[in-house]
Amino acid sequence: PLAIDVLFVVTVIGTLALVLGGASRAAARVSPGALRGVRVAAVAAGGWLALTAALTDHGFFDDFYALPPHMLLAVGPPLLGALALIASGRLDRLLAAMPPSWPIGVQVFRIAVEIVLWRLAVAGVAPGIMTFTGRNVDILVGLTAPIVAYFCFVRRTWPARVAWWWNWAGVLVLLNVVVHAQLSAPTRFRVFATEPATTFIGDLPYIWLPAVLVPLAWALHAASLRQLRSRP
């Protein structure tokens, strides 16, 4: 349905704008160089959206039998790039200037993603296994994100270790979703004979689920864990 397509595109663009906006505010408190870095990241994000859209338009991600899997080229570069930056410590000053509630609270976008997946399943486009009526409990991460952010870092009635374990739970929940998506796609390694298969992620605009939103969710968990590690 067109309304679901629009909701998904708004979720992608809105989440990226929210993340880059929060990073810009933190960078402005660090240095002009940090602010320039965020602007470069914004340009890179726009370029990645355009590149993946162009490849999808040419049917690149429709080939689920290719080796190596083409979908890895959608997930891999942004995920590995973000994790490398965070692990290297180059973003530590930026993360120190950012409220610890922010990387957690912004994960509320996962509620909208789960609503989209559910409506796609109802429309017969996505398999039920990918929704909260199947084996996908990722909506719980989105629902609890603002609660954990508020009680751990605004009210401070919960210890920071709650946020620590919440982040690791979110990492594992998202890994579960990705594994089920891969095992229900029409590849050489298919395990779940779902109808329909998970082919919608090879089309526009849903290529941005593995290419943008999944890496972003993992990167936000990594950023939050890095923040928590540096706290006394």
Side-chain angles (χ1 to χ4, degrees), residues 5-46:
D5 292 347
V6 172
L7 174 59
F8 182 75
V9 172
V10 169
T11 300
V12 173
I13 303 301
T15 304
L16 281 175
L18 187 62
V19 169
L20 291 169
S24 295
R25 288 191 294 273
R29 295 193 289 269
V30 175
S31 69
L35 191 56
R36 285 194 297 271
V38 173
R39 290 169 181 164
V40 170
V43 172

Side-chain angles (χ1 to χ4, degrees), residues 37-211:
V38 173
R39 290 169 181 164
V40 170
V43 172
W48 184 244
L49 288 173
L51 175 61
T52 50
L55 290 174
T56 304
D57 189 52
H58 284 81
F60 180 77
F61 295 110
D62 286 337
D63 185 359
F64 286 91
Y65 279 87
L67 288 177
H70 287 179
M71 202 55 66
L72 286 180
L73 300 178
V75 180
L79 177 60
L80 295 178
L83 294 182
L85 274 175
I86 293 169
S88 69
R90 296 180 65 181
L91 299 183
D92 282 357
R93 292 181 63 198
L94 181 67
L95 293 175
M98 189 178 292
S101 60
W102 184 82
I104 295 176
V106 76
Q107 299 262 23
V108 73
F109 79 86
R110 287 156 81 161
I111 298 175
V113 173
E114 295 309 308
I115 292 173
V116 167
L117 290 176
W118 171 69
R119 284 294 291 120
L120 289 175
V122 170
V125 178
I129 198 174
M130 291 291 297
T131 74
F132 50 74
T133 62
R135 300 188 180 185
N136 182 354
V137 296
D138 198 54
I139 194 170
L140 296 178
V141 179
L143 289 170
T144 55
I147 298 172
V148 172
Y150 179 73
F151 283 102
C152 284
F153 303 112
V154 180
R155 286 287 300 273
R156 298 185 182 181
T157 55
W158 291 357
R161 65 175 175 272
V162 172
W164 178 272
W165 289 114
W166 178 89
N167 273 299
W168 280 114
V171 169
L172 295 177
V173 166
L174 188 55
L175 179 62
N176 169 71
V177 177
V178 171
V179 168
H180 277 86
Q182 180 62 36
L183 296 182
S184 58
T187 68
R188 305 167 190 267
F189 313 106
R190 187 175 184 180
V191 173
F192 303 112
T194 57
E195 287 298 335
T198 312
T199 57
F200 73 97
I201 56 175
D203 301 325
L204 274 175
Y206 300 103
I207 185 60
W208 292 331
L209 179 59

Side-chain angles (χ1 to χ4, degrees), residues 200-227:
F200 73 97
I201 56 175
D203 301 325
L204 274 175
Y206 300 103
I207 185 60
W208 292 331
L209 179 59
V212 177
L213 294 183
V214 168
L216 183 60
W218 265 326
L220 287 168
H221 282 307
S224 179
L225 289 168
R226 184 82 180 185
Q227 280 184 320

